[in-house]
Amino acid sequence: MKIIIISPPSRIKGEPEVVTEMFKQGLMYFHLKKPGFSEDVMIDYLLRIPEEFHPRIFIHNNYSLVTKFNLAGIHLNKKSRKPGWYQQLRLAYLRYKRKDIKVTASYSKLANLYFDPPIYEYAFLSPIFESLSEGKYHPAFKERGLMEALQKSKNPIIAYGGVEMDKIEKVIDLGFQGMALLGVVWNDSHPLAAFQEIQIKVKAYSGNS
């Protein structure tokens, strides 16, 4: 079960250092999603995380940094996944510069699980549960249809949206291959402790299920 942390929209004091400690505690991947950050501010952020952890970071904007730093790869949202020569050219250029680049994506429809080819490291599917982290969202999928789509998906699917502590067992039972966490970690007064608590719960339930 992959545990993936997404950065909060605004910067939290000492955030890069907290992320570094999460990596030391076993965090698999971190998504640096800061729409308002300039390239210089993103560079400063990345420089505050030790180089050994850079291959476990995906970025959602300022894609050129993936070639300047040894980052895991880039994340494509719904808009950036739309077909078009510019997007294709940009991705082709990045893959030319970094043949091992990984690509992740965001889904909001079950049809993507059925029809998209196996081209992503993994894809976020949202909203799974009610969420308040990025606006108010309600669950978008019926449980039966969701489970059937997850079984047929050609890409690993990550639960995103409203994944709180009391939803972890449900995420595992539904058949997701991981969970993307935002508010449950960063809204806590001790983000690192919240992350560690989630790790313990995932390990305990996965071992008993």
Side-chain angles (χ1 to χ4, degrees):
M1 175 61 58
K2 296 179 176 68
I3 300 178
I4 297 160
I5 301 294
I6 300 175
S7 67
S10 57
R11 190 162 181 169
I12 294 175
K13 184 177 180 180
E15 186 181 321
E17 288 72 28
V18 173
V19 173
T20 296
E21 289 303 313
M22 289 179 181
F23 279 133
K24 291 179 180 179
Q25 294 295 323
L27 174 62
M28 179 174 287
Y29 287 124
F30 174 68
H31 279 243
L32 182 52
K33 182 181 180 183
K34 300 287 191 181
F37 274 28
S38 67
E39 183 172 301
D40 287 343
V41 177
M42 289 273 282
I43 288 173
D44 176 69
Y45 189 109
L46 290 167
L47 287 174
R48 292 173 62 184
I49 297 176
E51 289 184 12
E52 64 185 288
F53 300 125
H54 288 177
R56 287 147 70 178
I57 298 174
F58 284 88
I59 52 175
H60 288 231
N61 56 301
N62 292 302
Y63 289 159
S64 62
L65 294 180
V66 79
T67 62
K68 296 179 181 179
F69 293 83
N70 187 30
L71 304 182
I74 64 172
H75 182 84
L76 304 178
N77 58 27
K78 183 178 179 180
K79 181 179 179 180
S80 57
R81 282 198 303 112
K82 287 184 177 179
W85 67 268
Y86 176 73
Q87 295 295 349
Q88 293 177 5
L89 185 63
R90 180 166 64 165
L91 187 54
Y93 173 75
L94 291 173
R95 282 179 166 152
Y96 170 75
K97 299 286 287 186
R98 277 276 311 277
K99 291 182 172 59
D100 62 339
I101 189 174
K102 296 180 175 69
V103 180
T104 62
S106 292
Y107 289 162
S108 59
K109 297 180 180 178
L110 293 185
N112 294 119
L113 279 67
Y114 285 103
F115 300 117
D116 275 13
I119 57 177
Y120 300 120
E121 184 72 11
Y122 51 79
F124 296 155
L125 179 65
S126 67
I128 305 302
F129 307 108
E130 186 169 336
S131 174
L132 298 175
S133 295
E134 296 181 337
K136 188 172 179 63
Y137 296 103
H138 297 285
F141 314 104
K142 299 294 184 181
E143 189 170 305
R144 182 175 178 180
L146 178 56
M147 293 179 72
E148 290 177 356
L150 288 172
Q151 291 174 0
K152 295 182 181 297
S153 176
K154 299 178 181 66
N155 292 289
I157 303 300
I158 307 299
Y160 180 37
V163 181
E164 302 288 340
M165 196 68 68
D166 62 345
K167 300 293 193 301
I168 289 174
E169 294 178 4
K170 176 61 72 173
V171 168
I172 297 171
D173 289 342
L174 286 171
F176 284 98
Q177 295 195 33
M179 59 189 74
L181 308 174
L182 180 58
V184 66
V185 170
W186 298 110
N187 290 341
D188 194 286
S189 57
H190 300 286
L192 180 59
F195 168 68
Q196 291 171 323
E197 185 179 353
I198 291 164
Q199 280 186 306
I200 293 171
K201 187 162 187 176
V202 168
K203 185 175 181 180
Y205 190 74
S206 298
N208 294 328
S209 59

